[in-house]
Amino acid sequence: MALPSGAPVSAKPKRRFYLRWPFGLAVAAVIGYGVAVAMHWDDRGALWVQESFESTAEQSESVWLPAYQVDIDAKPLPGMDDDEASDIAFNPQTRTLFAVMGKNPFLVELSLDGNVLRQIPLHGWNNPEGVAVMEGGHLAIVDERLHDLTVVKVDAHTTALNHGDFPSYDLGKSVKSNKGFEAVAWDPLRQRLVIGEERPPKLYTWSTDGRSPLKGDKQPLPSDELDLRNLSALGVDPRTGHLLVLSADSNMLLELDEQGQQVSFMTLLGGFNGLEDTIPRAEGVAMDDKGNLYMVSEPALFYRFKKN
């Protein structure tokens, strides 16, 4: 039946903004919470609160990462953009650094200012991801695809290294084949290698005096405090024995004490700790005997941090 002329037409009521925004806010809150948990911002927030209660004495007994400021920021390693810097280690005998390149396997020796001193090709390696300097010129190299750890000897006359010339140790299969054993660090205080699996992050140790062939097998180390998205590299402070755990996916460097408890952290985002820009993909970390901190990032960038 037709409506009388002039009768008002009933229109579908429009949904008001004030009826929509609570739902949108709830969705945003759920998404934000999910991102915070995935990035472990909740844990970092708890650690940040914990840090604020640490005394000066307690800070002096640790590495205390919040006190570090970058003094060499994103220095390019010349001619290595296609080689993918994967790790870095400090050599106290020569007071130089050794970085390992994963895509085109070779070692590069650097000065403490990040200047290239020499390159040493690695023949027979597939994807070296971790390097540690032990005792008497011995270096441990972890290859993610070969699932092994090789102990090599490097001196001033070394021009190349062949995988088959040195003892290798099977690390076993990892949970994810392409996210396997990624990191290694030498702990001189406890006479052991610390080995890291990338994802899910896990830690292992292998006892050694740093000179002799390895004996036995790797042993699991409690990894409950590794609330990180991945594990990219490991370092050990030779003064305190505290472990440094680097995560490229979390843009984070985490300090663990001798009991494996979180002590401090440093974010790798631009604007923090003096960084002009976010470190693109932090893949290696090392600390020298004076407490200076070194990092390498893909593709081939060098960083140095010093404590205020």
Side-chain angles (χ1 to χ4, degrees):
M1 183 176 68
L3 291 172
S5 178
V9 178
S10 177
K12 186 178 181 180
K14 294 182 178 179
R15 183 170 294 178
R16 304 290 184 184
F17 172 75
Y18 62 81
L19 295 178
R20 297 198 309 266
W21 76 262
F23 176 74
L25 184 61
V27 171
V30 170
I31 294 173
Y33 176 77
V35 171
V37 170
M39 296 292 290
H40 298 284
W41 291 340
D42 51 342
D43 300 303
R44 296 290 80 78
L47 183 54
W48 180 80
V49 172
Q50 176 186 320
E51 284 181 345
S52 64
F53 288 98
E54 296 284 348
S55 67
T56 302
E58 289 170 326
Q59 292 179 22
S60 66
E61 294 173 356
S62 68
V63 176
W64 201 249
L65 294 170
Y68 279 80
Q69 292 286 310
V70 69
D71 80 322
I72 298 179
D73 191 351
K75 180 176 181 176
L77 299 177
M80 301 181 195
D81 288 352
D82 296 328
D83 300 313
E84 294 185 357
S86 295
D87 199 10
I88 193 168
F90 171 68
N91 187 338
Q93 282 74 43
T94 59
R95 299 203 61 77
T96 59
L97 300 160
F98 279 99
V100 66
M101 300 292 163
K103 187 175 180 180
N104 299 304
F106 64 90
L107 288 172
V108 55
E109 189 171 11
L110 305 169
S111 73
L112 300 184
D113 296 322
N115 297 320
V116 175
L117 302 177
R118 61 171 168 163
Q119 296 183 24
I120 303 173
L122 296 175
H123 300 301
W125 278 265
N126 194 318
N127 185 30
E129 289 286 346
V131 62
V133 176
M134 299 190 292
E135 302 293 339
H138 291 90
L139 276 68
I141 301 174
V142 165
D143 192 297
E144 185 177 34
R145 293 202 186 105
L146 297 178
H147 303 278
D148 71 3
L149 182 153
T150 306
V151 178
V152 304
K153 183 74 178 291
V154 175
D155 60 27
H157 306 291
T158 302
T159 57
L161 295 168
N162 294 291
H163 186 277
D165 293 341
F166 301 98
S168 292
Y169 305 88
D170 184 13
L171 294 175
K173 296 296 182 182
S174 54
V175 176
K176 296 184 178 181
S177 59
N178 63 334
K179 300 294 180 184
F181 295 98
E182 179 88 2
V184 63
W186 167 241
D187 183 350
L189 295 180
R190 297 175 183 82
Q191 294 284 285
R192 65 183 185 179
L193 287 169
V194 185
I195 303 162
E197 193 170 358
E198 181 180 5
R199 187 175 295 147
K202 291 183 181 179
L203 295 174
Y204 302 87
T205 62
W206 206 320
S207 295
T208 173
D209 63 5
R211 299 173 182 270
S212 307
L214 303 184
K215 296 180 179 179
D217 200 353
K218 68 182 191 303
Q219 300 298 319
L221 190 67
S223 308
D224 295 340
E225 295 293 306
L226 294 182
D227 47 359
L228 299 165
R229 296 178 66 196
N230 81 318
L231 188 157
S232 300
L234 295 170
V236 173
D237 176 14
R239 304 161 305 160
T240 64
H242 285 194
L243 186 64
L244 300 173
V245 185
L246 183 66
S247 173
D249 289 351
S250 295
N251 296 116
M252 190 74 60
L253 180 64
L254 185 63
E255 177 190 1
L256 304 179
D257 66 14
E258 56 272 18
Q259 281 79 43
Q261 298 298 310
Q262 296 182 9
V263 178
S264 69
F265 76 97
M266 181 171 75
T267 182
L268 309 180
L269 300 175
F272 292 89
N273 297 85
L275 289 168
E276 183 174 346
D277 298 306
T278 298
I279 298 179
R281 185 164 185 81
E283 290 288 336
V285 63
M287 180 164 281
D288 68 21
D289 49 9
K290 295 185 178 180
N292 298 313
L293 187 64
Y294 306 89
M295 289 188 200
V296 288
S297 170
E298 291 181 356
L301 298 174
F302 175 86
Y303 298 79
R304 185 176 69 193
F305 298 80
K306 292 191 173 183
K307 202 168 186 177
N308 286 340

